Amino acid sequence: SAVISQKPSRDICQRGTSLTIQCQVDSQVTMMFWYRQQPGQSLTLIATANQGSEATYESGFVIDKFPISRPNLTFSTLTVSNMSPEDSSIYLCSVEDRQGFTYEQYFGPGTRLTVT
Amino acid sequence: GENVEQHPSTLSVQEGDSAVIKCTYSDSASNYFPWYKQELGKRPQLIIDIRSNVGEKKDQRIAVTLNKTAKHFSLHITETQPEDSAVYFCAASWTGGGNKLTFGTGTQLKVEL
């Protein structure tokens, strides 16, 4: 399966600031996704990062708050803008690994964000 | 959109016993059902998955069953070991919907010695 890395692994940020999280894959992948996992909770999809076009956001998430870039097939960034304590979460990228007509989704190690 | 319910939220078993976690989904178009294991502080790891053209799939001590008519699927772990202790998430997606995963709420499995 693809090897996925994220930077930073964790950060503590002041409210009102922004943080950009990077996701790097060791092979070209078509689909990349960004998820949020609040403390003790399940995973919620933020958006699909589309290469060469604007990301597709899920209900409750907007581009102004979570701008996403996908400049190529191995890299994506998620920015958490104008942060508040409610944004404290783990942010995970995932990639779809296709093998013919089947696919599996794998996750990066996550970025643990604390907003004070 | 898709909604996935997962039960139980916590499960405690004795080492060597079996554990069963159940999920139901709402969208009949969903055709891919993975299970992830997440240990504390780690990323979710794909442990097994099943597609809608299959009713059951097994990998050593882990098996998954799917009932498309009833829209539910289950994870079965036999001969549980302490290292099976983790949070398990089920998920569902539809290939025609961009393969976006909708996750269940998770089950905290504790295997006691």
Side-chain angles (χ1 to χ4, degrees), chain B residues 16-37:
Chain B
D17 287 350
S18 295
V20 180
I21 303 170
K22 299 181 178 181
C23 289
T24 61
Y25 61 98
S26 61
D27 189 347
S28 56
S30 289
N31 56 7
Y32 176 61
F33 308 92
W35 286 87
Y36 289 86
K37 174 184 180 183

Side-chain angles (χ1 to χ4, degrees), chain B residues 57-69:
Chain B
K57 184 176 178 181
K58 197 171 181 180
D59 183 3
Q60 298 183 3
R61 297 186 296 109
I62 294 174
V64 57
T65 58
L66 171 65
N67 183 326
K68 283 224 73 177
T69 303

Side-chain angles (χ1 to χ4, degrees), chain B residues 35-49:
Chain B
W35 286 87
Y36 289 86
K37 174 184 180 183
Q38 188 174 33
E39 296 175 83
L40 191 64
K42 302 284 184 64
R43 74 185 82 189
Q45 281 188 298
L46 178 67
I47 56 172
I48 196 167
D49 57 15

Side-chain angles (χ1 to χ4, degrees), chain A residues 12-60:
Chain A
I12 300 173
C13 300
Q14 301 268 348
R15 69 174 66 203
T17 63
S18 298
L19 176 72
T20 295
I21 302 166
Q22 299 179 4
C23 179
Q24 179 76 55
V25 193
D26 69 341
S27 59
Q28 292 187 339
V29 294
T30 304
M31 306 293 284
M32 292 182 78
F33 304 91
W34 286 98
Y35 288 82
R36 181 173 74 181
Q37 186 174 29
Q38 295 181 303
Q41 302 295 312
S42 184
L43 293 88
T44 301
L45 180 64
I46 298 171
T48 303
N50 301 309
Q51 196 267 328
S53 64
E54 201 169 276
T56 305
Y57 290 85
E58 297 301 304
S59 176

